[in-house]
Amino acid sequence: MDAGQRSTWSLRRVEAVGAVAVVVAGVLWHFAYDWSGGSPVMAAVAPANESVWEHLKLVVVPVGALGLVEARWVADRPRLWWAKCVEVATACTFIVAFFYTYTGALGVHSIVVVDILTFVVAVAGGQLLSYRVISSPRRAPVPFAVSVTALVLLVVLFAALTFVPPHLPLFQETATGAYGPT
């Protein structure tokens, strides 16, 4: 894509299309582990069971990939990667908080439609916040290396805790009670 084409795409449009792309990628990413035949490599980056923790990968991996695409539009790399950190933190926190709030309030394990809508709202909210961070006139509060390192460490943490999950509800499949790849 040349500079002329790039300039016709506003940051707002890139972020809006990005939100849709993250939702679509997240939905497809949900099945990547099964499609791989249970590959340990895919288990490290795609949901390997039906726990809340594993489903947070539906945000982390697509948002990271989107950041690589958005780097073509956003010249301020420290601000871009800080925005992706904020987006991931916001979306993941919303998903966890909302899931445990509604399942606790209703006394149910999970409602698939509610979980999907929660994911969509979390992605949209995270993407909106990302847009606000990127378009802010202030400097990024942390250096580029810190933001990128934080995202890489987050992916490493997700991979490690997939194979050695703590026995906490966040890491347990709600339906079966299992931990780790299934």
Side-chain angles (χ1 to χ4, degrees):
M1 176 176 299
D2 67 22
Q5 288 174 309
R6 194 175 327 154
S7 67
T8 63
W9 278 74
S10 69
L11 178 60
R12 184 175 295 166
R13 182 183 293 173
V14 170
E15 290 291 314
V17 169
V20 172
V22 168
V23 168
V24 171
V27 168
L28 294 174
W29 202 239
H30 184 273
F31 304 103
Y33 174 70
D34 289 338
W35 291 340
S36 76
S39 162
V41 172
M42 285 306 291
V45 294
N49 67 36
E50 293 296 319
S51 70
V52 175
W53 174 259
E54 289 293 305
H55 279 78
L56 297 178
K57 292 177 186 176
L58 301 178
V59 172
V60 174
V61 173
V63 167
L66 177 62
L68 294 172
V69 172
E70 285 181 321
R72 297 181 57 96
W73 280 273
V74 180
D76 186 346
R77 294 307 190 299
R79 186 176 309 200
L80 168 68
W81 291 107
W82 173 245
K84 295 298 121 185
C85 285
V86 169
E87 179 177 355
V88 165
T90 301
C92 289
T93 300
F94 178 81
I95 289 169
V96 171
F98 192 80
F99 177 81
Y100 285 110
T101 299
Y102 96 79
T103 57
L106 298 178
V108 298
H109 286 297
S110 178
I111 302 170
V112 174
V113 172
V114 173
D115 295 342
I116 292 168
L117 290 174
T118 302
F119 171 69
V120 171
V121 169
V123 167
Q127 200 69 11
L128 177 62
L129 196 52
S130 173
Y131 168 74
R132 292 193 183 276
V133 169
I134 293 169
S135 61
S136 169
R138 289 184 260 154
R139 290 187 53 197
V142 296
F144 170 79
V146 172
S147 295
V148 171
T149 301
L151 288 170
V152 169
L153 288 175
L154 184 61
V155 171
V156 169
L157 181 67
F158 269 96
L161 293 179
T162 291
F163 299 107
V164 187
H167 286 260
L168 298 169
L170 181 66
F171 300 89
Q172 184 178 34
E173 281 194 315
T174 54
T176 67
Y179 292 91
T182 56

